[in-house]
Amino acid sequence: MALFLIRRLGHGLLVLWLITVAVFALFFVAPSNVAQTLAGRQATPETVDLIKHRLGLDLPVWKQYLHFVENALHGNLGYDYYHQVPVTTIIGTALPITVSLALGAAVLWLLLGIFNGVISAVHPRSLADRGLTLFSLFFYSFPSFLLGLLLLYFLYFRLTLAGFHWFPAGGYSPLTAGAGAWFQHLLLPWVALALLLAATYTRLTRGSMLDVLGEDYIRTARSKGIRESRVIVRHGLRSALTPVVTQFGIDLGQLIGGVVVTETVFSLPGLGQTAVTAINQQDLPVIIGIVLFASAAVVVANILVDIAYAFLDPRVRLH
Amino acid sequence: MTAAIEMVDVVDEPKAIEGRSPFVLALRRLRKDKVAMISLAVIVLIVLMAIFAPVFAAITGHPPNEQYRDIGLTPDGLPRGPNGTFWLGTDDLGRDILVRIAYGARVSLLVGVIATAITVAIGVVLGLAAGFLGGVVDTVLARLIDVVLSVPFLLVAIALVSVTGPSLTVTVLVIGFFSWASVARIVRGQVLSLREREFVEAARSLGAGDRRIMFVDVLPNVLAPVIVYTTLLIPVVIVTQATLSFLGLGLPPPTADWGGMISASQNYYTTAWWFILFPGLALLITTLAFNLFGDGVRDAFDPRADRT
C-alpha cells in the first residue's frame, strides 16, 4: 500500500510538472502586450520597458520559468500584474466560493442521481425507468449556461415580478455573514449544476445496481425473508456504490476548474470567474496559478479515488 | 401431418444461413429502437436546415446579417417579437432570428462533426499505439493522457482562444486537442487485452507486421466502443463550442452561431423572451437528439449494458 501510494504521488507530481511546462510554453509563446496595457496609451517606450523589467518579462522565457518553479516550490505562485496581490491570496479568496458551489451541488446530484438510479434498477424497463432515463438525459443535454439563464428567468425574474423575492439575481454572500443568505445565493447555482451532473450518476447507479441485484447473495438475502427495502439498500446499494464513489471523486476534482460557466451566469466570484477575468486582462500569474491549482485538484482527487477504491473493494488491493 | 410435411420441406430446401456480423446485428437492434430513430429523424432535419439555410433567407427575404433597424426594432430600439415578417422575432440589432438560427446550425454541426472526427482519429491512433506497442511508447502516451485529462479543459480553452483570437479553426483545434485523451484511454484499455489473443499471434505467425496487425486485425475489434463514444461526443462538442461562444470566444461577429445569440440575448431576457428561447431551443433540441440517438447506439452495440 505504501509503495502504491508513493508511486501514485510520484505520477501526480510528474503530471503537475508537465502541466507547468505546457502552460508556460503556451502563454509565453503568444505575443503579450500586458506591459503596454499597464503603462497606458500615452506611455513612452522607456516606461513600458521599465514595467516589463519590474514584472520580469524582459528575462528569457526559461529564466522566467525557473523563477516560477523555484517560487512555486516555496508556496509562492507570484503576484498579479495589476495590484501586486499574491496569487495564493487571490486563490484563497475565491476558493471558498467555488468549494461552496461544488459541495452543495454534489449533495444534490448524489441524492438525485442515486435515488433515480435505484428506482430505475429496481424496476428495469418500467415506465418509471424510461421516464427517469429521459429526465436525466434531458438535463444532461442542457448547456449549463442555458439552464442557468432559464432558472434565473423563471425563479428570479418571474418570481420577483410576481412579488416573491425568494432568489437573488446572482452574486455571493459568505457563510460567515449568515447561513440564510449564503443558502439563498447558492441554491439556484446548486440546482443548475446538480441537474446537469445527476444524469451520469443515475446511469452509473442503475447499471451497477442491476449487476449487483443479479448476484447470488441478494437471492440469499431475499430467501432469508429480509424486507425488500432492506435487501435493496443494505445489501444491494452498499456494494453498488463503488463505481459511484469513483466517479464522484473525479467529478469533484474537475469541478474546481470546471464551474466557469455556472459562476459566470450567477456572478459568483469563485475560481472560474476570477480566471476568466484574469484571462481577459492577460494577467498571466493569476491564469497560471489557477490552472495549476485546478489541475492539482484533479490529480489529488484521482489519487484519493484510487485509495478509496482499495478500501471499498478489497479485491483491488491484491493487485 | 402438416408437421411432417414441413419437416420434409426443411430438409429439402435448407434455408441459407446468413452470416450476420455483430455490426449488422447492432444496426438491426438500432433500427427497432423507436426513440433512437425519432432522434435520428430530428438530426436529419437539423442537418437539412443547415444545408438549406440560404433557402430560409430567400423565403423570408432576410439575409442572416442584415440589420433591419427600422422595421426590425421597436421605436425604443428593442427587439421585435414574432410577427408576420419576422416569424421568430428579431435580435438586438434587428436581424431575423429564424434565418440566423438556420445559419447557426451550420456552425454547430460543422464544429461538432469536424472536431469529433479529429478527436476520434487522434485518440484511436494513439490509443492503439500505446496499447499495442507497449514499452516506452505506452509509458509516454499514458502520462500524456494523464496530463491532458488533468488540465481544466474549459479554463485552458478560454485562455488559448483569448490568446490566439477566436476563429472556427482555433475552436475545432482546441476541442480536438483536449478531447482525444478519453478516446485514447478507452482504446488503449481494449487493445491491452486484445493483443494477448490468439488471432494476433496467428497474424504474427503469418508474417504480419505491427502496423498491419494494429490496423487490420486489432482496430475492427475496438470499433464498437469507439462508435458509441463518437456519437455521444458530438453533443458534448456542440455544447463546448456554444459555451465558448457564450463566453465571447466564439466566431467573430457578425457570423450567426447559437451560443453567441444566447449570449447576446442575456441583456434582453426580461423584455424579449423569444431572443433567448428560440436559439436556446435549437441548441437544446440538437444536443438532446444526439444524446438520445447516442444512447440508442450504446444499447444497440452493447446489448448487455441495458437489457438485463
Side-chain angles (χ1 to χ4, degrees):
Chain A
M1 191 71 189
L3 196 73
F4 163 79
L5 261 182
I6 292 169
R7 225 183 48 211
R8 280 303 273 114
L9 278 175
H11 278 176
L13 285 176
L14 180 69
V15 167
L16 280 183
W17 173 68
L18 286 172
I19 288 172
T20 63
V21 177
V23 171
F24 237 81
L26 281 178
F27 291 117
F28 280 91
V29 167
S32 156
N33 52 2
V34 70
Q36 184 73 53
T37 315
L38 277 172
R41 262 168 212 272
Q42 313 286 324
T44 57
E46 288 76 29
T47 322
V48 175
D49 285 344
L50 190 71
I51 291 177
K52 270 195 180 158
H53 179 71
R54 267 221 323 264
L55 297 176
L57 287 173
D58 52 346
L59 297 172
V61 173
W62 63 271
K63 263 194 184 158
Q64 294 185 41
Y65 178 71
L66 285 186
H67 272 294
F68 171 79
V69 172
E70 198 190 330
N71 287 331
L73 288 175
H74 290 97
N76 176 1
L77 290 174
Y79 304 88
D80 89 294
Y81 282 164
Y82 293 83
H83 307 103
Q84 303 299 314
V85 182
V87 172
T88 43
T89 311
I90 294 177
I91 293 179
T93 318
L95 187 62
I97 300 165
T98 301
V99 170
S100 301
L101 175 60
L103 285 183
V107 172
L108 278 182
W109 92 60
L110 277 182
L111 285 176
L112 195 67
I114 294 175
F115 182 76
N116 288 350
V118 171
I119 301 279
S120 290
V122 173
H123 308 285
R125 304 290 294 153
S126 68
L127 202 63
D129 180 18
R130 284 159 185 276
L132 286 173
T133 305
L134 206 66
F135 169 84
S136 50
L137 260 178
F138 178 72
F139 284 107
Y140 175 75
S141 303
F142 247 106
S144 53
F145 57 90
L146 192 58
L147 185 56
L149 287 178
L150 284 184
L151 285 176
L152 274 180
Y153 180 76
F154 286 107
L155 296 179
Y156 155 69
F157 177 65
R158 283 280 158 187
L159 271 185
T160 308
L161 216 62
F164 300 96
H165 297 274
W166 289 352
F167 300 103
Y172 180 72
S173 168
L175 191 52
T176 45
W182 176 77
F183 187 81
Q184 209 179 18
H185 279 84
L186 282 170
L187 191 58
L188 288 187
W190 283 341
V191 171
L193 210 51
L195 282 175
L196 288 174
L197 280 154
T200 320
Y201 290 81
T202 306
R203 170 171 284 281
L204 258 180
T205 311
R206 181 182 184 276
S208 157
M209 268 303 265
L210 278 175
D211 283 347
V212 170
L213 289 180
E215 297 272 351
D216 288 341
Y217 72 87
I218 295 291
R219 200 178 47 197
T220 310
R222 278 191 183 131
S223 62
K224 281 197 297 190
I226 299 175
R227 249 185 307 124
E228 182 66 16
S229 61
R230 201 181 155 85
V231 172
I232 288 167
V233 176
R234 280 291 179 81
H235 295 77
L237 187 58
R238 217 175 137 174
S239 52
L241 278 183
T242 313
V244 177
V245 171
T246 313
Q247 182 69 33
F248 179 65
I250 294 169
D251 278 347
L252 210 55
Q254 281 177 345
L255 268 193
I256 298 297
V259 286
V260 184
V261 176
T262 313
E263 286 183 358
T264 308
V265 170
F266 291 99
S267 338
L268 293 166
L271 281 178
Q273 211 193 33
T274 310
V276 171
T277 313
I279 288 166
N280 289 333
Q281 299 179 334
Q282 296 194 11
D283 200 343
L284 273 182
V286 182
I287 303 174
I288 293 175
I290 293 180
V291 167
L292 198 60
F293 184 82
S295 313
V298 175
V299 171
V300 170
N302 286 348
I303 294 177
L304 289 180
V305 161
D306 283 353
I307 296 172
Y309 210 81
F311 275 106
L312 282 172
D313 191 342
R315 282 169 298 182
V316 175
R317 252 176 292 183
L318 297 175
H319 298 297
Chain B
M1 269 315 275
T2 46
I5 292 168
E6 268 174 21
M7 265 180 68
V8 171
D9 273 359
V10 171
V11 173
D12 276 354
E13 296 170 49
K15 243 191 186 165
I17 296 169
E18 275 180 75
R20 293 184 201 131
S21 69
F23 188 77
V24 172
L25 287 174
L27 280 188
R28 278 192 190 188
R29 278 193 292 268
L30 186 61
R31 226 176 297 155
K32 279 190 200 145
D33 188 337
K34 266 185 229 141
V35 177
M37 284 301 105
I38 294 173
S39 312
L40 184 62
V42 172
I43 295 172
V44 171
L45 282 179
I46 298 165
V47 172
L48 288 178
M49 178 170 85
I51 295 174
F52 294 108
V55 175
F56 283 79
I59 291 175
T60 55
H62 304 144
N65 298 327
E66 184 72 36
Q67 301 179 4
Y68 295 93
R69 289 182 177 271
D70 39 1
I71 51 167
L73 294 174
T74 63
D76 306 333
L78 289 173
R80 274 195 193 278
N83 58 52
T85 327
F86 300 98
W87 297 347
L88 299 184
T90 60
D91 68 4
D92 52 334
L93 297 174
R95 295 174 294 197
D96 191 319
I97 288 184
L98 171 67
V99 177
R100 287 181 71 75
I101 286 178
Y103 275 89
R106 296 183 154 191
V107 175
S108 283
L109 293 176
L110 211 63
V111 173
V113 171
I114 297 178
T116 304
I118 293 179
T119 302
V120 171
I122 302 178
V124 166
V125 171
L126 293 187
L128 261 179
F132 189 79
L133 299 176
V136 186
V137 180
D138 185 31
T139 313
V140 171
L141 285 177
R143 280 298 81 74
L144 197 61
I145 292 173
D146 281 349
V147 170
V148 174
L149 288 180
S150 306
V151 168
F153 161 58
L154 203 54
L155 275 186
V156 178
I158 298 167
L160 265 179
V161 177
S162 77
V163 165
T164 54
S167 76
L168 198 65
T169 324
V170 170
T171 307
V172 167
L173 287 182
V174 164
I175 294 174
F177 182 77
F178 282 106
S179 314
W180 63 268
S182 348
V183 185
R185 195 160 65 166
I186 295 171
V187 173
R188 175 178 174 268
Q190 298 267 326
V191 174
L192 277 179
S193 66
L194 281 171
R195 71 165 180 198
E196 307 297 334
R197 298 267 288 273
E198 284 90 348
F199 69 86
V200 172
E201 212 176 318
R204 199 178 294 287
S205 65
L206 286 171
D210 274 349
R211 215 183 318 158
R212 190 189 156 83
I213 299 178
M214 269 163 66
F215 288 99
V216 178
D217 298 309
V218 176
L219 183 60
N221 286 290
V222 296
L223 273 188
V226 168
I227 290 173
V228 172
Y229 195 85
T230 305
T231 39
L232 289 168
L233 189 63
I234 294 176
V236 175
V237 170
I238 290 178
V239 168
T240 309
Q241 190 275 328
T243 304
L244 284 175
S245 285
F246 175 76
L247 294 170
L249 300 163
L251 300 179
T255 314
D257 93 277
W258 296 344
M261 292 172 82
I262 295 168
S263 175
S265 77
Q266 267 187 107
N267 300 325
Y268 297 89
Y269 76 97
T270 53
T271 44
W273 52 268
W274 57 90
F275 190 3
I276 181 166
L277 181 73
F278 295 120
L281 267 182
L283 184 55
L284 182 61
I285 290 173
T286 307
T287 53
L288 192 61
F290 272 108
N291 273 322
L292 287 171
F293 181 66
D295 211 45
V297 172
R298 168 164 34 201
D299 288 351
F301 277 86
D302 186 6
R304 279 167 313 147
D306 237 41
R307 313 262 150 162
T308 334

